[in-house]
Amino acid sequence: MKVLVIGATGKTGRAVMDALTARGAEALAAIRNPSPDGVRFDWADRTTWKPALEGADALYIVGPYAQPDADVLLRDLLATATNVRRIVLLSVIGADKLPSIVPMAGWERDVQNSGKEWTILRPNWFQQNFAEGFLPALQNGTLELPAGDAAVSFVDTRDIAEVAAIALTSDGHSGQTYELTGPEALTHTEALEILSKVADRDLRYVPLDPSAHTEAMRAAGAPERTITWQAALFSQIRDGSDATITNTIERLTAHPARTFTAFATEHAPTWQSA
Ligand SMILES: NC(=O)c1ccc[n+]([C@@H]2O[C@H](COP(=O)([O-])OP(=O)(O)OC[C@H]3O[C@@H](n4cnc5c(N)ncnc54)[C@H](OP(=O)(O)O)[C@@H]3O)[C@@H](O)[C@H]2O)c1
């Protein structure tokens, strides 16, 4: 089984490469910038698609979330991927309840209508955000987000990747949509208390007014589409929907989902060195 991993440099894609290799599958990284570690693939450059898909039996897909034509690109890629038999799509928790400007529900329909064996993953917010996207803010000691005081069952991307690798390399997962969460729901205040403890420094969450967040994104030059999209995701946190806990990771991987404390302990130097 040869699996092409789209988004292989990202938080889930890197872990999917490792999880596939651990299962003895041939994993090929699809990488936007030319690299000796994989084959070139750019959602924005259709000439890269067919050569990258050559010989692939299966696809792990992080969709073209940043492309203005995100709505059509996945459908077009699937039409090109005639040799591919199996697909795992990374979606997002609550995809079917988000406004249509968020393309994940459309992508889910695209894979469902592709005629291929498909599995959809709907993970909650990644634990790894605290070590990557949120890191610049945390280096200054304060994380400001419009997440209110609601809890989120943050999930480790390695658990998402293990589920992806299982669905890509074994039978019995076609036609399934898996909601993937961590084993507990924490508020951002609680999450930062854990980070403060492992890093031995004061890190604080400051709830941001949703309109202030929108204005800050606009001032930073974010496209209106991204602003609306982010507002919807944070609204979903504030209404409590992202506190859901599922046992899917434990059921499929045969080990408990990784805790936020375990993730924080493992990455403690990340926040200490600020
Ligand atoms: N972050 C979360 O908490 C979370 C939770 C649930 C679902 N999701 C979903 O996960 C997806 C990725 O989110 P993220 O921001 O967390 O991702 P990420 O870890 O930053 O990974 C994004 C990946 O996509 C690749 N990529 C970006 N533009 C590309 C292009 N034009 N052509 C080919 N590859 C391209 C990136 O490659 P480069 O290295 O070249 O940039 C990177 O490998 C999104 O669809 C998001 O909705 C995220």
Side-chain angles (χ1 to χ4, degrees):
M1 169 77 74
K2 179 173 163 185
V3 184
L4 184 70
V5 177
I6 297 178
T9 56
K11 291 183 279 296
T12 63
R14 293 192 304 264
V16 169
M17 292 293 295
D18 292 344
L20 285 168
T21 305
R23 291 180 70 81
E26 189 186 347
L28 182 61
I31 301 182
R32 172 163 42 169
N33 298 310
S35 159
D37 299 326
V39 59
R40 182 151 184 269
F41 174 89
D42 188 340
W43 283 110
D45 179 357
R46 288 168 183 253
T47 66
T48 64
W49 294 4
K50 216 165 177 46
L53 289 163
E54 184 78 40
D57 308 298
L59 285 179
Y60 174 75
I61 303 178
V62 175
Y65 59 90
Q67 297 304 124
D69 49 352
D71 292 350
V72 298
L73 287 177
L74 179 54
R75 193 190 55 215
D76 292 351
L77 179 82
L78 294 176
T80 307
T82 46
N83 50 317
V84 168
R85 184 164 62 85
R86 192 173 274 177
I87 304 163
V88 169
L89 173 72
L90 182 71
S91 182
V92 66
I93 193 165
D96 48 339
K97 297 179 200 75
L98 290 165
S100 58
I101 199 159
V102 185
M104 278 75 183
W107 294 346
E108 291 188 0
R109 285 191 294 276
D110 291 339
V111 300
Q112 287 163 351
N113 295 331
S114 65
K116 301 177 187 301
E117 296 176 21
W118 58 264
T119 306
I120 291 167
L121 308 184
R122 287 185 179 173
N124 209 336
W125 289 72
F126 306 157
Q127 294 174 4
Q128 275 72 9
N129 292 335
F130 290 86
E132 298 190 30
F134 298 162
L135 188 57
L138 289 171
Q139 282 171 335
N140 294 324
T142 307
L143 181 63
E144 296 186 359
L145 292 174
D149 299 322
V152 178
S153 52
F154 300 107
V155 60
D156 192 308
T157 53
R158 290 168 297 183
D159 287 335
I160 300 168
E162 277 184 50
V163 171
I166 289 166
L168 284 161
T169 58
S170 56
D171 294 335
H173 304 283
S174 180
Q176 300 294 318
T177 297
Y178 293 133
E179 194 162 295
L180 304 177
T181 76
E184 82 241 286
L186 300 169
T187 63
H188 281 75
T189 301
E190 290 167 335
L192 286 217
E193 281 168 5
I194 292 169
L195 295 193
S196 297
K197 198 166 170 195
V198 301
D200 196 22
R201 63 179 282 238
D202 186 26
L203 297 167
R204 267 178 306 138
Y205 164 64
V206 176
L208 201 57
D209 183 74
S211 57
H213 185 243
T214 296
E215 281 318 310
M217 287 187 75
R218 199 165 279 140
E224 281 307 310
R225 181 170 153 274
T226 307
I227 295 171
T228 310
W229 181 335
Q230 289 294 310
L233 293 179
F234 282 106
S235 169
Q236 186 168 277
I237 292 185
R238 289 194 304 277
D239 76 19
S241 304
D242 291 352
T244 307
I245 296 167
T246 69
N247 68 354
T248 311
I249 288 171
E250 180 156 14
R251 186 165 58 80
L252 296 177
T253 65
H255 67 69
R258 292 167 168 91
T259 64
F260 190 82
T261 300
F263 159 78
T265 306
E266 200 178 328
H267 292 81
T270 308
W271 304 290
Q272 281 162 357
S273 60

